[in-house]
Amino acid sequence: MYRHIFKYELKKMTADRTLWVLSTILFLFTILSVFNGSAWINFQLENIDKIEAGQRHRLEKHINDIKEYNAENDFIGVGAPHNVSSIGTYTMHYIVKPPHPNALFAIGQSDLYPYYIRFSSIDRANMLINEEVVNPVNLLIGKLDFSFFIVYLLPLLIIAMTYELLASERESGTFTLLRIYQPKTLKFLFFKWLFRVLWLLAVLYIGILTGMLVFSPFSLMQYDSGTLTIIGFTTIYVLFWFAICFAINMFGKNSLFNGIALTMFWLFIVFLLPTVINTGMEKRYPLPSRNEQIVRQREVKEGTDEKETYNHYLKKHPEYQAFKSDTVGNSIITKWYPAYIVTTAAIDSINDLDEARFSRALSMQETGLEKLSFISPSLMTNLAFNQIGRNSLMDYENFNKEFTTEQQRWRAFVYNKILRGETFRAEDLGYQSNFIKSQHNTIPIRALLLNKLLWILLLSAALMALGAIQFKKSIKR
């Protein structure tokens, strides 16, 4: 019997032009979403390669300039390539966050947060002027990546395929014949539903594989278990929406009612619930005002006396007393620069408190979203995709912390030389690489599989059971 059902559904659906249109749309959107993800990754990789090549060239040139200058001059002037204050101010380092192969499926926060940061030993407030200018329209529109397509658009295609699963049988008059075989009517509808599930998943998988083979900058061997987790999430999320459609159909309403009801469910689950949860987290853990933070920074800077701060610092660090006045190197720079860097360090220590409050509020918001995401499978799926693609909010927070650590390390090295009145040697430029690659964080794949996948699967099974119970009740009436 089941083989006949599949043959019947296959003939019926292959003759349906609407299904072919939907399948074509599904395939093209899958290809397009994978292409957009791979295009963004290629753009990042190309920029990172250019940065690395440029930094390597600048380092080699700087070392040669120091050697040539030492051979021709005894005095270290302002323009000397190994003048410590000039190196501290103008020698730029880069820290980059290379895209993970699974970022192909989830751009996440990577189009909002920087994937590379340029820094020197100057204070971080002054470095803000070196950031790139980004078109705000591009940030507003965003990118159609795979996760956006799966979470937001794919449910609409599923609704279009299944909103008349039972209603079509009623409206065509064949349901009366099906009721003669009451025990098998539900099985018939289930296999009719299952055929649509398998059809959509087959088209989706073909589109994913095609997109990866054609557009991905990575080979298939570079993908890990996280890729299979994304495929698993996609499958379970598809089953969840098919389960909703099955349950609504089993109430026995007409096609118009089913279409409106499913569309309302889509709006509620995909948009309303995540918006309410996100707004609640923002109210519960509000972010400190950036404007107020900038005002405080200016007030602290204007209210700090450099000479007094510097003298207080020297009392704590008597080892630098010998270099308080004019020393080797350029005397003009030596007079004001030590006081400047000590004052800057004192101001930054105050600003770090604001940064810590901001980071803590972001972390608490993200944690709250994770805890409440079980209410909305779409939010849960979206967060999981971003985590697996290493493009979640916390990934960029960790990247920012790594940048802060590297910048402070370089500043400490440069400032120590300035306060001691020392000059730079060619080998000192190798103290810290001027091009640093951030390492990807490991994520609990098993926890994602067990906690989130199983929860969505449980919801899907509950919806299928609800549909079956409702159908049996309607048959008895």
Side-chain angles (χ1 to χ4, degrees), residues 304-314 324 339-340 343:
T304 303
D305 183 85
E306 287 191 0
K307 185 176 181 181
E308 181 181 346
T309 304
Y310 183 43
N311 289 332
H312 180 69
Y313 181 83
L314 291 178
K324 183 178 178 180
Y340 163 75
T343 304

Side-chain angles (χ1 to χ4, degrees), residues 150-220:
I150 293 298
V151 172
Y152 294 96
L153 301 183
L154 185 59
L156 292 176
L157 293 177
I158 295 174
I159 291 172
M161 289 181 64
T162 55
Y163 76 99
E164 55 177 4
L165 184 70
L166 176 57
S168 62
E169 301 293 342
R170 288 181 179 274
E171 293 164 6
S172 64
T174 57
F175 185 70
T176 305
L177 296 175
L178 289 174
R179 291 188 65 177
I180 298 175
Y181 304 98
Q182 284 189 15
K184 297 182 179 180
T185 303
L186 183 60
K187 290 183 179 180
F188 170 80
L189 294 173
F190 172 76
F191 278 96
K192 185 178 179 181
W193 169 88
L194 182 60
F195 185 85
R196 284 163 171 75
V197 173
L198 296 177
W199 180 285
L200 183 138
L201 288 177
V203 176
L204 186 63
Y205 291 157
I206 293 172
I208 293 172
L209 183 59
T210 303
M212 290 175 66
L213 290 174
V214 176
F215 302 116
S216 175
F218 303 101
S219 66
L220 292 180

Side-chain angles (χ1 to χ4, degrees), residues 134-142:
V134 181
N135 188 344
V137 176
N138 293 337
L139 299 180
L140 176 64
I141 297 175

